[in-house]
Amino acid sequence: MGARRKLDYDCPIRDVLDRVGDAWSVLTILELSKGPCRFNALRRVIDGISQRMLAVTLRHLERDGLISRRVLPTAPPQVEYALTDRGQSLHAAIGQLNGWAVEHQPGIRADRAEYDARPDVA
Amino acid sequence: MGARRKLDYDCPIRDVLDRVGDAWSVLTILELSKGPCRFNALRRVIDGISQRMLAVTLRHLERDGLISRRVLPTAPPQVEYALTDRGQSLHAAIGQLNGWAVEHQPGIRADRAEYDARPDVA
DNA sequence: TCTCATAGTTACCTTCAGGGAACCGCCACA
DNA sequence: TGTGGCGGTTCCCTGAAGGTAACTATGAGA
């Protein structure tokens, strides 16, 4: 979206929403909030993510200082990812939003069903 | 994304993020938080939105019970959109997240610049 | 009578995110 | 001497999102 690209750079919340609005980023943060994890371990636990998207997602999160990347000096070098302090605080903020979601989901679901049942929309 | 679609229906926060993660929805909620507004008025004030996307966005928001749609009995019938109570509360939640964004943006920007300057990434 | 605004809908076309698969070097184990 | 796991990178291709433009009906005003 051309207009979105323009907005990205003057609107602070868009920086955040570009991460938070992305399912893979959220799932990754969620997983890492349980503790540090390696690449292929994440891959196995985040259901349905492709190798490519995990790599891309991790690099975005690392670039934004939300996660740290540590190469372990093991035989086949392993890479451990972990939430930074900033990542932790974003996880908390997501938790807030999740609270809103959980609270309002029943109402939203109901309204959607009602809307979909309206004859003038069909 | 196939996997996302699957997740949509068991994860409550995805319902929310599918709205909140969308730039047009956020901008529309932001506009309507200032007060009720008609279709073409919104179109003029939300920079860069197409007629189609405004219609689509408004219908999504209405379906989720976040905004109300009221047809005025004027000569060329006008349509007024307004935030519902639920929409207001989502606007508040977005405000929370925006708070996080504003607070952490400087750090994020700095980390991004640092990351982009790293020789091993280039 | 022609044009404009009101609020959309529809068809068409383009773009790009993201999936899948192949490939990389390295080391361990059999 | 394979085969497998490690952590990626690169390519191609498709599907879906979204922009543009044309069309709708109605009534006001020039």
Side-chain angles (χ1 to χ4, degrees):
Chain A
M1 179 193 316
R4 167 130 96 195
R5 188 150 308 140
K6 193 175 61 186
L7 287 162
D8 279 350
Y9 296 103
D10 25 347
C11 180
I13 197 172
R14 288 249 54 86
D15 283 340
V16 179
L17 290 182
D18 281 350
R19 297 285 132 262
V20 172
D22 171 28
W24 295 136
S25 292
V26 174
L27 290 177
T28 304
I29 290 172
L30 208 71
E31 243 349 276
L32 289 178
S33 72
K34 301 173 187 171
C37 199
R38 287 177 307 101
F39 187 89
N40 277 330
L42 280 172
R43 196 150 102 83
R44 279 185 291 265
V45 80
I46 300 177
D47 189 50
I49 196 167
S50 67
Q51 193 167 14
R52 187 177 153 279
M53 281 316 292
L54 179 56
V56 168
T57 301
L58 288 172
R59 217 157 317 110
H60 282 163
L61 293 174
E62 190 198 356
R63 190 168 101 103
D64 287 1
L66 296 166
I67 64 174
S68 62
R69 180 180 184 276
R70 193 161 65 98
V71 179
L72 305 178
T74 51
Q78 302 183 330
V79 181
E80 190 184 77
Y81 293 94
L83 284 190
T84 59
D85 288 349
R86 186 182 299 151
Q88 296 278 4
S89 78
L90 179 56
H91 176 240
I94 290 175
Q96 296 284 81
L97 198 63
N98 188 54
W100 189 95
V102 169
E103 184 185 340
H104 289 83
Q105 196 191 29
I108 290 175
R109 290 272 211 243
D111 280 5
R112 276 184 194 170
E114 190 186 338
Y115 183 95
D116 293 343
R118 274 166 47 187
D120 54 321
V121 179
Chain B
M1 179 193 318
R4 168 128 100 199
R5 186 152 309 139
K6 193 177 60 183
L7 287 163
D8 280 350
Y9 296 103
D10 25 345
C11 180
I13 197 172
R14 288 249 55 85
D15 283 340
V16 178
L17 291 182
D18 280 352
R19 297 287 132 262
V20 171
D22 170 29
W24 295 135
S25 290
V26 174
L27 290 176
T28 304
I29 290 172
L30 207 73
E31 244 347 278
L32 289 178
S33 73
K34 301 173 187 169
C37 198
R38 287 177 307 100
F39 187 89
N40 277 330
L42 279 172
R43 195 148 102 84
R44 278 185 290 266
V45 81
I46 301 178
D47 189 49
I49 196 168
S50 67
Q51 194 167 13
R52 196 176 78 84
M53 281 316 293
L54 180 55
V56 168
T57 300
L58 289 171
R59 216 154 321 109
H60 281 163
L61 293 174
E62 190 198 357
R63 189 168 103 101
D64 286 3
L66 295 166
I67 64 173
S68 62
R69 180 178 183 277
R70 194 161 63 100
V71 180
L72 305 177
T74 50
Q78 302 184 328
V79 180
E80 190 184 78
Y81 293 94
L83 284 190
T84 59
D85 288 349
R86 185 183 299 152
Q88 296 278 4
S89 77
L90 179 57
H91 176 240
I94 290 173
Q96 296 283 80
L97 199 62
N98 189 54
W100 189 95
V102 169
E103 184 186 340
H104 289 84
Q105 196 190 29
I108 290 174
R109 291 272 212 242
D111 280 5
R112 276 185 195 170
E114 191 186 336
Y115 183 95
D116 293 344
R118 275 165 45 185
D120 55 319
V121 181

